[in-house]
Amino acid sequence: MLIIGELINTSRKAIREAVETRNAAYIQEVAVQQEAAGANYLDVNCGTMVGQEIECMEWLVNTIQAVTDLPLCIDSPDENALRAGLTLAKTVNGKRMINSTTAEEKRYKAVLPLVKEFDAKIVALCIEDAGMPETAADRLRIASKLIDDMEKEGIQQDDIYIDPLIKPLSTNDKYGKSVLDAIYAIKKKYPAVHLTCGLSNISYGFPNRAVLNRLFVVQTMTVGMDGYILNPTDKAMMGVVYAGQALLGNDKYCKNYLKAHRKGLYE
């Protein structure tokens, strides 16, 4: 199970203000908190800093790496910002990760060279030039193209993290089920490929979002999801992750569940 800490993102007001004022102490505190809470990677996103993204990305990477050796997931719609972050990102405890590519021709051609140059893991979203998927079959088709094309370029399945693209249940009551069916189908066809997602999209527009989010973690995990981009300091959510892995037999002797309990990482 790969947990990518999502909190260092300038779409969040406090993070944006810290980046604008170069408040390194605040950014470092958020990074350390996520590491202590059990994150395996830290997502770094400053895509809202229009006209300053490259400079901000470089500052963020250097600032974060001054206090943690966790590998970074460099997250940007701009390939130049991706390159800036990847160039500075260390590989002490794992490969760099890129967030993300899609099956859209322009995006794929821009990001693929970076994946190869930096020997990076890659998050690949199920989006194509024709648009976003509606059904499980659409997701499997797009994922298959992405995986097959990247394999031809020498990228190992173990370095690929397919994002099935979670859409709000509030806009279509079949969107949850279609994602679950897609995860199962992708994992069955490509057992060595990983899956990850920004899971909270499922509950957008609903009250009591945490209830939907936590249950959807259990459901997606059961059909093969093995990575999440989430807030690792949310102890209730992390409790679901640790318990789910133990109950599915993915935690030998339940060591991670017990260790996390002793550290007070979930509730």
Side-chain angles (χ1 to χ4, degrees):
M1 177 58 63
L2 191 81
I3 300 298
I4 303 170
E6 69 179 3
L7 297 182
I8 300 177
N9 188 319
T10 55
S11 65
R12 302 178 66 235
K13 182 180 178 181
I15 295 295
R16 182 184 180 94
E17 290 176 353
V19 172
E20 288 175 336
T21 61
R22 295 298 191 263
N23 185 347
Y26 182 77
I27 296 297
Q28 290 171 343
E29 180 183 2
V30 174
V32 169
Q33 285 176 346
Q34 291 187 98
E35 179 177 22
N40 307 114
Y41 271 75
L42 298 180
D43 194 73
V44 185
N45 184 321
C46 52
T48 63
M49 308 300 291
V50 179
Q52 308 170 58
E53 188 180 1
I54 292 175
E55 178 187 349
C56 291
M57 177 66 77
E58 291 174 340
W59 179 81
L60 275 171
V61 170
N62 286 330
T63 298
I64 294 164
Q65 291 185 147
V67 293
T68 177
D69 286 329
L70 277 187
L72 302 182
C73 179
I74 306 300
D75 186 351
S76 176
D78 182 348
E79 60 267 27
N80 295 313
L82 288 176
R83 174 176 291 281
L86 291 165
T87 299
L88 294 173
K90 300 174 183 176
T91 56
V92 176
N93 290 320
K95 289 187 175 185
R96 309 165 182 90
M97 180 177 279
I98 296 172
N99 190 5
S100 58
T101 190
T102 68
E104 297 164 295
E105 184 177 5
K106 182 178 179 181
R107 180 64 175 176
Y108 183 81
K109 287 184 175 179
V111 175
L112 181 67
L114 297 174
V115 179
K116 296 168 72 174
E117 179 181 348
F118 291 95
D119 187 27
K121 293 180 179 293
I122 177 67
V123 176
L125 277 70
C126 289
I127 303 175
E128 59 185 353
D129 285 311
M132 297 183 181
E134 284 292 314
T135 66
D138 289 338
R139 289 174 168 83
L140 177 59
R141 174 178 52 77
I142 298 169
S144 296
K145 175 173 173 51
L146 282 162
I147 295 164
D148 293 345
D149 286 352
M150 284 191 279
E151 274 203 295
K152 290 175 185 176
E153 294 290 339
I155 298 168
Q156 301 297 310
Q157 287 191 18
D158 185 54
D159 287 332
I160 300 171
Y161 286 74
I162 295 294
D163 185 332
L165 196 69
I166 294 175
K167 300 163 77 173
L169 192 65
S170 57
T171 61
N172 186 320
D173 63 8
K174 299 298 186 290
Y175 278 164
K177 181 65 163 55
S178 66
V179 165
L180 296 175
D181 290 343
I183 294 167
Y184 181 82
I186 294 166
K187 198 68 176 178
K188 183 176 181 180
K189 185 174 181 180
Y190 301 99
V193 164
H194 301 284
L195 290 114
T196 192
C197 66
L199 183 125
S200 62
N201 284 345
I202 194 66
S203 64
Y204 182 79
F206 275 116
N208 296 321
R209 294 184 64 185
V211 175
L212 288 168
N213 293 344
R214 290 168 195 161
L215 184 53
F216 204 49
V217 163
V218 175
Q219 291 178 318
T220 54
M221 195 185 303
T222 301
V223 293
M225 184 74 76
D226 58 359
Y228 296 99
I229 302 169
L230 52 73
N231 174 7
T233 67
D234 180 343
K235 290 188 175 184
M237 177 63 83
M238 292 302 288
V240 170
V241 172
Y242 286 116
Q245 287 290 282
L247 291 166
L248 286 169
N250 296 330
D251 181 4
K252 192 172 183 180
Y253 304 123
C254 300
K255 286 181 179 179
N256 290 331
Y257 180 84
L258 295 170
K259 183 179 180 181
H261 168 74
R262 288 191 292 271
K263 289 185 174 182
L265 297 184
Y266 63 81
E267 59 185 32

